Every structure is written in C-alpha cells, then in structure tokens.
Amino acid sequence: MRQCLRDKIISVCDAKIAQKGEGVGLSFYAFFANRNTDPTLLMEAAEWWIKTHQLDHFEKAVKIRDMVRAGQ
C-alpha cells in the first residue's frame, strides 16, 4: 500500500475516533470523497481491505488504524 494511502487512513481514523469515540466503525469508502475521486487508490484500499485482510464492510477505526500503523 502506498504511503500516501497509509497516511490518509491514519488521519481519517484519528479524526473519526476524536469525533465519535473509540467505538466508531467505518468502511474503506470513508477515505474518499466519492468513488470517482481517485479510482486507482480506491481499488488499492478495497484490495487491502477485502482481498488481503478479508475484513467486514464496517470495522472499528481503532482496529484499522492499528493495522496500518503496524504495516499490515
């Protein structure tokens, strides 16, 4: 996964957690304004989320942030 996507995921997760608490969930769509913003990067996030890690549609932001920080 590209570093710019890793940085974006961590930033969005941190903001959602600060806003709604540690129990907040999100999907990989949360990292994009809409699906047409950057389709290549969206597909990279989707592949990481669905294919690589087989995550549910909604996951806890804390879990996603920690996975990305750990380099998974």
Side-chain angles (χ1 to χ4, degrees):
M1 181 187 313
R2 288 183 251 175
Q3 189 61 46
C4 67
L5 182 54
R6 289 184 179 281
D7 294 343
K8 186 173 196 171
I9 289 171
I10 292 169
S11 174
V12 168
C13 287
D14 283 343
K16 293 283 186 184
I17 293 165
Q19 182 182 41
K20 297 189 177 193
E22 292 198 6
V24 68
L26 48 77
S27 77
F28 64 88
Y29 287 114
F31 312 120
F32 302 90
N34 66 53
R35 67 176 180 250
N36 297 319
T37 303
D38 188 339
T40 304
L41 204 57
L42 174 67
M43 291 307 294
E44 190 173 328
E47 183 172 327
W48 180 87
W49 192 285
I50 298 166
K51 193 173 181 182
T52 303
H53 294 288
Q54 300 178 350
L55 299 170
D56 290 336
H57 183 74
F58 284 96
E59 292 286 349
K60 301 290 184 196
V62 171
K63 175 182 177 178
I64 299 303
R65 180 192 62 195
D66 292 348
M67 288 176 71
V68 172
R69 282 183 177 162
Q72 295 181 349

